[in-house]
Amino acid sequence: MRSVTVFGATGSIGESTFDLLMRQGGRAAYRTRALTGGRNVARLAEQARALQAEIAVTAYDECLSDLREALAGSGIEAAAGAEALAEAADRPADWVMSGIVGAAALVPGFRALQRGATLALANKESLVTAGPLIMQTARDNGARILPVDSEHSAIFQALLSEDMQAVERIIITASGGAFRDWPMDRLAEATVAEASTHPNWAMGQRITIDSASMFNKALELIETHEFFGIAPEKIEVLVHPESLVHALVGFRDGGMIGHLGAPDMRHAIGYALNWPDRAHLPVDRLDLAAVGSLTFRAPDPARYPALRLAREVMETGGLAGAAFNAAKEVALDAFISGRIGFLDMAGVVETVLDRMVGQGALGKGALSLDMILEGDREARRVARAVVEKTGRT
Ligand code: NAD
Ligand code: MG
């Protein structure tokens, strides 16, 4: 029987993963080692009971007693906090979903790789923050990473049995997010509610806002570079409002292989869950005659400064990815809580990067997990100070 662990089980990726596990036989087909979540302990307990998990872990200590109560009589263990999350990763699941949002997914994913697990990586921040270390840890321990971000799953599938030497370019598509057709002068006043609606995908709030600002695509540029080991200048972003072509790979003979599918994360998650097989998945089938046409356009650099910042980060290397992601997380929190405007987010991130480059704080060469975690903390400190100065009074 296959054994599984799902980090971030109560989130958007986590719920889709749970849905597939249940459809594919649930507790009769999978031994669930651990499920983790945040404050929604009622839902976490429900999922843990349905899959008869060995342990349920909430990220927050103050939620532990509620989780215990919700699990009473089930025989399922309850735990809380960052160390408990890391320990959950040590439990011997063959397949681990990394579905936590943000850099908090880094340590659990790292620990799962250290024991040679297959890591289904939805969390893009892990590769942005610690790409070389994550990839090296997987190689050193015979672990496997299966990308779950839709673009990266698409690239992975387009590259099946292809030679990386023959790859000329990789194109990741972007919907353009909530504001793709807004006049630029309205963006400064965009509200959190407006930024939290996605034209095509139903996702967690943070990634949805990141889609509106293109920080999501910026993270994905770096993710593509780290995971596929391809030079930054060979990676392109293409705005594709229909979100049906997820990525394209161009080869040196001029041909391209693209991946199409309905905008439903259960495709990429189900692909990773069943890899190397393809299982029947409950996603809509595309009716291209009904769709009629697919459209593409180049991203406007003035509208999406995050893309330029991602390219600078790839050039800088070292801790730049960790600083970029950490500053972005702080800026996003500040936007969500109303302390800065929508357009201020990119400004905050750029100021943090400039400052840390100026201080020589981004280093070069191989980085340990501790160095990365310290870089992440330092960037958050700098970003909070920058937010204070930027903030609305
Ligand atoms: P979400 O906000 O819906 O869910 C996040 C999950 O992580 C929840 O279970 C939450 O309780 C948990 N969590 C939040 N903060 C935590 C912390 N500090 N410590 C431990 N657990 C914490 O997010 P999501 O949209 O499901 O995204 C998850 C990850 O997958 C992100 O990295 C995102 O970029 C990536 N991703 C998501 C989608 C999507 O369709 N939602 C698509 C591609 C990639
Ligand atoms: Mg994506």
Short mmCIF file of all heavy atoms in Angstrom, two decimals, residues 124 149-151 216-217 220, ligand 2:
data_model
loop_
_atom_site.label_atom_id
_atom_site.label_comp_id
_atom_site.label_asym_id
_atom_site.label_seq_id
_atom_site.Cartn_x
_atom_site.Cartn_y
_atom_site.Cartn_z
N LYS A 124 6.08 26.72 -4.71
CA LYS A 124 7.14 27.23 -5.57
C LYS A 124 8.21 27.97 -4.78
O LYS A 124 9.35 28.09 -5.20
CB LYS A 124 6.55 28.10 -6.67
CG LYS A 124 5.79 29.31 -6.18
CD LYS A 124 4.91 29.89 -7.26
CE LYS A 124 3.63 29.11 -7.43
NZ LYS A 124 2.84 29.43 -8.58
N ASP A 149 3.25 22.79 -9.84
CA ASP A 149 2.81 24.04 -10.43
C ASP A 149 2.39 23.70 -11.86
O ASP A 149 3.08 22.93 -12.54
CB ASP A 149 3.98 25.04 -10.42
CG ASP A 149 3.51 26.46 -10.21
OD1 ASP A 149 2.31 26.72 -10.37
OD2 ASP A 149 4.37 27.31 -9.91
N SER A 150 1.27 24.22 -12.34
CA SER A 150 0.72 23.73 -13.61
C SER A 150 1.70 23.92 -14.77
O SER A 150 1.85 23.03 -15.61
CB SER A 150 -0.61 24.43 -13.92
OG SER A 150 -0.42 25.83 -13.96
N GLU A 151 2.40 25.05 -14.78
CA GLU A 151 3.35 25.31 -15.87
C GLU A 151 4.50 24.30 -15.83
O GLU A 151 4.98 23.82 -16.86
CB GLU A 151 3.94 26.72 -15.76
CG GLU A 151 2.93 27.85 -15.88
CD GLU A 151 2.09 28.05 -14.63
OE1 GLU A 151 2.36 27.37 -13.60
OE2 GLU A 151 1.15 28.85 -14.65
N ASN A 216 3.62 36.00 -8.99
CA ASN A 216 3.52 34.55 -9.16
C ASN A 216 4.35 34.10 -10.35
O ASN A 216 5.13 33.14 -10.26
CB ASN A 216 2.06 34.14 -9.34
CG ASN A 216 1.91 32.65 -9.50
OD1 ASN A 216 2.47 31.88 -8.73
ND2 ASN A 216 1.19 32.22 -10.53
N LYS A 217 4.23 34.79 -11.48
CA LYS A 217 5.00 34.39 -12.67
C LYS A 217 6.48 34.64 -12.44
O LYS A 217 7.34 33.90 -12.94
CB LYS A 217 4.48 35.14 -13.89
CG LYS A 217 4.52 34.38 -15.19
CD LYS A 217 3.94 32.98 -15.16
CE LYS A 217 2.53 32.89 -14.64
NZ LYS A 217 2.00 31.50 -14.67
N GLU A 220 7.73 31.81 -10.68
CA GLU A 220 7.76 30.66 -11.59
C GLU A 220 8.92 30.71 -12.58
O GLU A 220 9.41 29.66 -13.01
CB GLU A 220 6.43 30.55 -12.33
CG GLU A 220 5.30 30.13 -11.39
CD GLU A 220 3.95 29.99 -12.07
OE1 GLU A 220 3.87 30.20 -13.30
OE2 GLU A 220 2.99 29.66 -11.38
MG MG B 2 1.54 28.21 -11.87
#
